[in-house]
Amino acid sequence: MRLVVQRVTEAAVRVDGELISSIGKGMMVLVGISRDDKEEDAKFLARKLVNLRMFDNDDGKPWDKNVKDKGYEILLVSQFTLYAVLKGNKPDFHNAMGSGTSEAFFNNFVDMVKSGYETERVKEGLFGADMKVSLTNDGPVTLNLDSRKFTYTT
């Protein structure tokens, strides 16, 4: 499972011109699910995400506070293209989890993030839709997290 976490001052998702979700300060997170991902991957990254110290404290000390400490928001957007591999010049997505199972997996991940934080502060895009995502990256700060590059610890 892969997350691309961006620290933002604002972010929004639109589908067919209609606003689906928006947040103020916080994290806009692209969520990629591989065909081999298990519940342990989702649990691990949900915990990492809500505890990730990517914000300054009130005295300006960088990398000291997490989204919960600051009361900021999280916007989760499914992104199967994070598992693309190139075949020549064409992307191939065979490493991504199929759409038949990935929607339930994504929704379960969203629930895990909500249970680790405050439900009303966690928003999401529209799974499977052609989304238009806008954001203002703060820093810019963008971090890549991959559940298979960590050891599962508590």
Side-chain angles (χ1 to χ4, degrees):
M1 191 168 181
R2 290 185 182 147
L3 304 180
V4 176
V5 183
Q6 298 177 82
R7 188 175 73 188
V8 299
T9 57
E10 61 185 0
V13 174
R14 288 181 168 74
V15 174
D16 296 328
E18 178 185 342
L19 181 64
I20 302 299
S21 291
S22 65
I23 64 168
K25 288 193 86 144
M27 303 171 163
M28 201 293 295
V29 184
L30 301 175
V31 180
I33 304 167
S34 88
R35 63 184 181 185
D36 299 323
D37 283 334
K38 307 286 185 239
E39 185 175 3
E40 296 84 32
D41 296 284
K43 284 181 181 176
F44 175 76
L45 286 179
R47 184 178 56 79
K48 277 288 184 196
L49 183 63
V50 298
N51 291 296
L52 182 61
R53 296 187 312 168
M54 64 186 309
F55 301 99
D56 297 354
N57 70 17
D58 293 338
D59 296 325
K61 180 181 176 187
W63 315 108
D64 191 51
K65 297 294 181 181
N66 61 44
V67 70
K68 295 188 300 184
D69 296 331
K70 301 297 276 186
Y72 292 162
E73 297 175 287
I74 301 172
L75 176 59
L76 302 169
V77 177
S78 61
Q79 182 81 37
F80 73 92
T81 62
L82 293 179
Y83 277 97
V85 292
L86 290 181
K87 290 201 172 182
N89 291 322
K90 182 179 179 186
D92 178 274
F93 305 108
H94 72 276
N95 288 327
M97 186 177 285
S99 60
T101 52
S102 60
E103 184 172 8
F105 195 97
F106 176 76
N107 290 336
N108 189 41
F109 177 71
V110 170
D111 290 342
M112 289 177 188
V113 174
K114 287 180 177 180
S115 71
Y117 189 29
E118 298 174 29
T119 300
E120 66 278 358
R121 294 193 182 273
V122 179
K123 311 285 178 63
E124 61 204 83
L126 184 60
F127 187 91
D130 181 11
M131 295 177 274
K132 306 304 181 215
V133 180
S134 60
L135 62 98
T136 303
N137 198 317
D138 183 16
V141 173
T142 302
L143 303 173
N144 297 313
L145 304 180
D146 191 320
S147 63
R148 302 299 169 103
K149 293 184 180 181
F150 295 99
T151 302
Y152 300 118
T153 59
T154 54

